[in-house]
Amino acid sequence: MRATLMYGAGDVRVENVPDATLEKSTDAVVRVLVSCICGSDLWPYGSMKPNTAGHRMGHEFIGVVEDAGRDVASVKRGDVVIAPFVWSDGTCDFCQAGLQTSCRHGGNWGNPDAGQGEAARIPQADGTLVKVPVPEDSDLLPALLTLSDVMCTGHHSAVTAKVGKGSTVTVIGDGAVGLSAVIAAKRLGAEQIILMGRHQARTDLGRDFGATEIVSERGEEGAARVKELTGEDGTHAVLECVGTLPAIETAFAAVRDGGSVSRVGVPQYRDVPMPSVFMRNVSLTGGVAPARAYIEELLPEVLDGRIQPGRVFDRTVKLDNIAEGYRAMAEREALKVLVRP
Amino acid sequence: MRATLMYGAGDVRVENVPDATLEKSTDAVVRVLVSCICGSDLWPYGSMKPNTAGHRMGHEFIGVVEDAGRDVASVKRGDVVIAPFVWSDGTCDFCQAGLQTSCRHGGNWGNPDAGQGEAARIPQADGTLVKVPVPEDSDLLPALLTLSDVMCTGHHSAVTAKVGKGSTVTVIGDGAVGLSAVIAAKRLGAEQIILMGRHQARTDLGRDFGATEIVSERGEEGAARVKELTGEDGTHAVLECVGTLPAIETAFAAVRDGGSVSRVGVPQYRDVPMPSVFMRNVSLTGGVAPARAYIEELLPEVLDGRIQPGRVFDRTVKLDNIAEGYRAMAEREALKVLVRP
C-alpha cells in the first residue's frame, strides 16, 4: 500500500509500505477514506533532522473497517469510523477518567501505520474507534474528520480553561485549532470571544464561528488590545492554540486575574515564563487533547450541522500529492489540507 | 506606638512609629492581640538590600476594634476580629468571586501599618475584617490567627488543585503552610496524603493532622519515593508549599497524569520548568491565597476544635523581642512564631 513518510525537514514522500494487517486479536484494519495534515506535522516539516528510515505521518483519519480481530466487539467490517489521534484501550482508569492520551495500553500512530496512507492497523480497536452513521461518500466526512483532532483539541482548550456561560475568552491563533476553539467557546456559552490572528480569510471564518472581535496585533501590543476590549481586565480564559514562546507570553498578558490559560499547541519551548502570575492567581492548564473523550459529545452537533468545523479545510490533495499539501500549509497558503488516498 | 521594621537582611527592629488612626470613613483601628512571623517574611529577612526607610512588617494578626469610621457597619469598638493578609472592599466583582487578593480597591499591609505592631489602621474595614465570637484572652487566638494566612493558604492550595473525596495528595514542605495544607487535604476527603519534609517534629505534627506517609528524600529521589507509594503513578494533586525551584521541579515529577500542581509558596524563581507536562495534561494552579474568601468556611471547625491549625505555633515572643523570633524561624529552630505586643 501507499503511505506518507517524512525523511527530514521539507522532505515528505509517498512510498510503498507493507500492507496494514491484523497483528493482535484486539486490532482492526481500516481503509482510509480521508486524512489530513496537522499543524503539529509542520514542526518536524520545518526542523526534522535527516533520517534515512523515515517517519510515518498522520494521526487524523476516517476510514472503513476492512477487518477486525476476534476480540473486537464494537466495530465490524464495513463500518465508517473515526480514529482519534492516539489509540487507547478505553478500559483503564485513565481512559475511564477521560484522559485517553495517558492510557495504560495506548500509543501514538506511526509505528508502523499512520493516517496519511491507504490503510492502517488500529491497535485497541474497541477503545479507539468511534463508529459514525454516515456512508463512505458522505459530505460530512471533512467535518467528522476534525473530531479526530482539531475540533476536539479546540474543545479541550475551552473545557480545561473552564469556559462557560458568560465567559470572556481570547483565542490566540487563527489556525484550524484556534478556529475550532472559537466554535468550542461559542457552544459552551462564552459571551465575548476575541480571536487573535492576522490572516483575513481565517479571521473571517472565525467571525462566522462566533468570534466577537478580531485582534491582528501581536505580542504586547496584542495583549494591550485585548485589555482595551475588556475594560483593562483581560479575559477569563485564554486559549493558546499556537505553541510558541511569544504566544504563551501573550496569553499570560491577556488573561484576567483568577483566570486560566489553556495551551493546546505543542509547546516549542521548555520553561514557561510566568511573571506576576502567582500574585494574580492565574492557572496554566491544557495539554495534548484526549480527543476520544469528546467525540460522543460533539458528534451529534457535527451530524446535524449545528457546528461546522469541516470549514477549516480549504484545500484537498490526493495522497500522492501530499508533499504539495505540506508545502501549501507550511507557507500558509492553505489553512488545513484534506488528503484523499 | 511600637511596630516592627525591617531595614535589610537580618536587620529587624522594633521602633516607635506614629499611632494608627482613622483616615477614611471606611477605616477601622485595631489594637493587635496576636500576630506572627510568616515564612514569606523570611525571604526579605534573608536577602533584602539595606533600606534606610525601613519596611513595616506583618500581615497576619488578630485584634480588638478600638475605633471605626462612620461608614463601617460590620464591626464596632470592642469586637475581636481577624485581619486577613490583604485588605479588600468585599463588594467589587473580584471580591464577590472570592478573589479578594485582586480587589479593585484593596492593598497590602505595610503602608503605613502592618500586623507586627501594637495597632493598625484597617482600610476597607467592612470588606476586610471578620468578627470572631471569642474573648480577648481566648485560648483559641493562635488557631484563629492561622485564618489570617497559613490555614487559608494551605486550604487554597488544596481547593485550586481540586482535592476531594478519594484524592491522592503530595504536600511539599513541612512548614506552617505545608502542615495547613495537610489539614485542608484531610478535611476535603483526600485518602492518601504524602508529606515531604525532613524535620521530625514537624512531620510528626503532619501525621497528627492527617498525613498518611512521610517522604524525607528531596528532589528526584523524593519524587521517586512518591511514585513508589502510588504504584508509579504520582498523586492527583501536589501542593507546593515552599516556593523554590527545586520544590516546583519535584512537584511536576510527583504529579499524576491529568493532575494539578498548586503552588502557594511565593515563587523564588521566574520561569517554570515544565518538561513533559504538556503530554501529561498536568495543570499548574494556585497563587497568593484570598484568605478572606475562606474564613467563614473554616471558622466553625477552628472554633469547635475539629481542626487545630494553632498547633503550628511552637514559640511565642513579645513584640520587643521579635528579632529573636525571626532568627529562630530563619534557622529553623522554630516552626512558626507567635508575637504578643
Side-chain angles (χ1 to χ4, degrees):
Chain A
M1 67 178 200
R2 305 283 285 167
T4 304
L5 289 98
M6 188 179 287
Y7 285 90
D11 186 2
V12 173
R13 309 178 204 166
V14 177
E15 299 185 339
N16 291 321
V17 300
D19 284 349
T21 52
L22 296 182
E23 286 180 17
K24 294 185 176 172
S25 61
T26 48
D27 288 350
V29 168
V30 159
R31 172 170 49 88
V32 174
L33 293 171
V34 286
S35 69
C36 54
I37 303 171
C38 183
S40 67
D41 294 337
L42 298 182
W43 298 119
Y45 185 75
S47 65
M48 182 178 164
K49 287 187 186 140
N51 177 331
T52 54
H55 186 75
R56 292 280 289 276
M57 299 299 295
H59 52 262
E60 302 153 281
F61 56 107
I62 287 185
V64 180
V65 176
E66 296 271 281
D67 202 356
R70 67 176 181 280
D71 292 328
V72 175
S74 64
V75 296
K76 61 179 194 305
R77 186 178 167 82
D79 286 345
V80 175
V81 290
I82 300 174
F85 74 93
V86 298
W87 75 72
S88 54
D89 65 17
T91 57
C92 76
D93 51 349
F94 284 113
C95 285
Q96 291 292 308
L99 196 69
Q100 286 87 344
T101 42
S102 291
C103 173
R104 294 189 188 276
H105 307 100
N108 296 301
W109 302 110
N111 179 23
D113 294 325
Q116 294 167 7
E118 290 184 300
R121 176 174 78 87
I122 313 291
Q124 305 289 355
D126 272 342
T128 304
L129 297 174
V130 180
K131 182 178 168 181
V132 286
V134 299
E136 286 190 25
D137 59 352
S138 168
D139 289 340
L140 284 171
L141 290 190
L144 292 166
L145 178 58
T146 67
L147 295 178
S148 70
D149 184 345
V150 288
M151 183 59 226
C152 291
T153 296
H155 181 68
H156 186 57
S157 72
V159 168
T160 53
K162 299 186 203 133
V163 173
K165 200 168 154 51
S167 295
T168 58
V169 180
T170 301
V171 175
I172 301 182
D174 58 8
V177 172
L179 294 171
S180 298
V182 171
I183 295 175
K186 169 86 173 173
R187 69 179 284 288
L188 289 168
E191 73 177 19
Q192 182 178 27
I193 303 173
I194 302 169
L195 173 60
M196 297 184 78
R198 47 171 61 193
H199 192 298
Q200 194 174 344
R202 300 176 189 189
T203 56
D204 283 352
L205 186 53
R207 280 194 193 274
D208 280 2
F209 284 163
T212 54
E213 286 110 342
I214 306 297
V215 169
S216 59
E217 294 88 345
R218 289 181 179 174
E220 283 178 28
E221 212 183 336
R225 190 78 188 97
V226 171
K227 290 285 187 79
E228 204 177 298
L229 292 168
T230 54
E232 296 306 320
D233 282 345
T235 53
H236 296 106
V238 178
L239 314 183
E240 195 282 277
C241 302
V242 178
T244 60
L245 194 59
I248 196 81
E249 286 174 332
T250 301
F252 287 115
V255 69
R256 181 182 158 105
D257 285 18
S260 293
V261 170
S262 179
R263 54 177 186 167
V264 291
V266 183
Q268 303 303 303
Y269 53 86
R270 199 192 93 113
D271 295 356
V272 185
M274 304 173 74
S276 87
V277 165
F278 181 83
M279 300 309 289
R280 297 173 51 221
N281 273 282
V282 168
S283 297
L284 174 63
T285 184
V288 60
R292 183 64 186 82
Y294 302 128
I295 295 178
E296 279 90 348
E297 176 180 351
L298 299 171
L299 184 58
E301 297 177 39
V302 172
L303 289 172
D304 70 13
R306 262 176 293 166
I307 60 174
Q308 303 186 322
R311 294 177 65 192
V312 297
F313 293 107
D314 58 352
R315 190 169 298 197
T316 299
V317 297
K318 294 290 290 178
L319 177 60
D320 281 333
N321 294 330
I322 196 168
E324 166 58 14
Y326 272 84
R327 187 205 56 75
M329 268 183 70
E331 294 178 9
R332 290 178 70 85
E333 266 177 32
L335 169 50
K336 193 164 176 75
V337 174
L338 194 81
V339 181
R340 290 187 186 271
Chain B
M1 67 178 202
R2 306 283 285 168
T4 304
L5 290 98
M6 188 180 287
Y7 285 90
D11 186 1
V12 173
R13 309 177 204 168
V14 177
E15 299 184 341
N16 291 320
V17 299
D19 284 348
T21 52
L22 296 182
E23 287 180 16
K24 294 185 177 172
S25 61
T26 49
D27 288 351
V29 168
V30 158
R31 172 170 49 88
V32 174
L33 292 171
V34 286
S35 68
C36 55
I37 302 170
C38 183
S40 67
D41 294 337
L42 298 181
W43 298 119
Y45 185 75
S47 64
M48 182 179 164
K49 287 187 186 140
N51 177 331
T52 53
H55 186 76
R56 291 280 289 275
M57 299 298 295
H59 52 261
E60 301 153 281
F61 56 107
I62 287 184
V64 180
V65 176
E66 296 271 282
D67 203 357
R70 66 176 182 281
D71 291 329
V72 175
S74 65
V75 296
K76 61 178 193 308
R77 186 179 168 83
D79 285 346
V80 175
V81 290
I82 300 174
F85 74 94
V86 299
W87 75 73
S88 54
D89 66 17
T91 57
C92 76
D93 50 348
F94 285 113
C95 285
Q96 291 292 308
L99 197 68
Q100 287 86 345
T101 43
S102 291
C103 173
R104 295 190 188 274
H105 307 100
N108 295 302
W109 302 111
N111 179 24
D113 294 325
Q116 293 167 7
E118 290 184 300
R121 176 174 78 87
I122 313 292
Q124 305 288 355
D126 272 342
T128 304
L129 297 173
V130 180
K131 183 179 167 180
V132 287
V134 299
E136 286 190 26
D137 59 352
S138 168
D139 289 341
L140 284 171
L141 290 190
L144 293 167
L145 178 58
T146 66
L147 296 178
S148 68
D149 185 345
V150 288
M151 184 59 227
C152 292
T153 296
H155 181 67
H156 185 58
S157 72
V159 168
T160 53
K162 298 186 203 133
V163 173
K165 200 167 154 51
S167 296
T168 58
V169 179
T170 301
V171 175
I172 301 182
D174 59 7
V177 171
L179 295 171
S180 299
V182 171
I183 296 176
K186 170 84 173 173
R187 67 179 286 287
L188 289 168
E191 74 178 21
Q192 182 178 27
I193 303 172
I194 301 169
L195 173 60
M196 298 184 77
R198 46 171 61 193
H199 193 297
Q200 194 175 344
R202 301 176 188 188
T203 56
D204 284 351
L205 186 53
R207 281 195 194 273
D208 280 2
F209 285 162
T212 54
E213 287 110 343
I214 306 296
V215 168
S216 58
E217 296 87 345
R218 291 182 178 174
E220 284 179 27
E221 212 184 334
R225 191 78 188 97
V226 171
K227 289 286 187 77
E228 204 178 299
L229 293 168
T230 54
E232 296 306 320
D233 283 343
T235 53
H236 296 106
V238 178
L239 314 184
E240 195 281 276
C241 302
V242 178
T244 60
L245 194 60
I248 195 81
E249 286 174 334
T250 302
F252 287 115
V255 69
R256 180 181 158 105
D257 285 18
S260 294
V261 170
S262 179
R263 54 176 186 167
V264 291
V266 183
Q268 303 303 303
Y269 53 86
R270 199 192 93 114
D271 294 357
V272 185
M274 303 172 75
S276 89
V277 164
F278 181 84
M279 299 311 288
R280 297 173 53 222
N281 273 283
V282 168
S283 297
L284 174 62
T285 183
V288 61
R292 183 64 186 82
Y294 302 127
I295 296 178
E296 279 90 347
E297 176 181 351
L298 299 171
L299 184 58
E301 297 179 38
V302 172
L303 289 173
D304 70 13
R306 262 177 293 166
I307 60 174
Q308 303 185 321
R311 294 176 65 192
V312 298
F313 293 107
D314 59 352
R315 190 169 297 197
T316 299
V317 297
K318 294 291 291 179
L319 176 59
D320 281 331
N321 295 330
I322 196 167
E324 167 58 14
Y326 272 85
R327 187 204 58 74
M329 270 182 70
E331 294 178 8
R332 290 178 69 86
E333 265 177 32
L335 169 51
K336 192 164 177 75
V337 174
L338 194 82
V339 181
R340 290 188 188 269

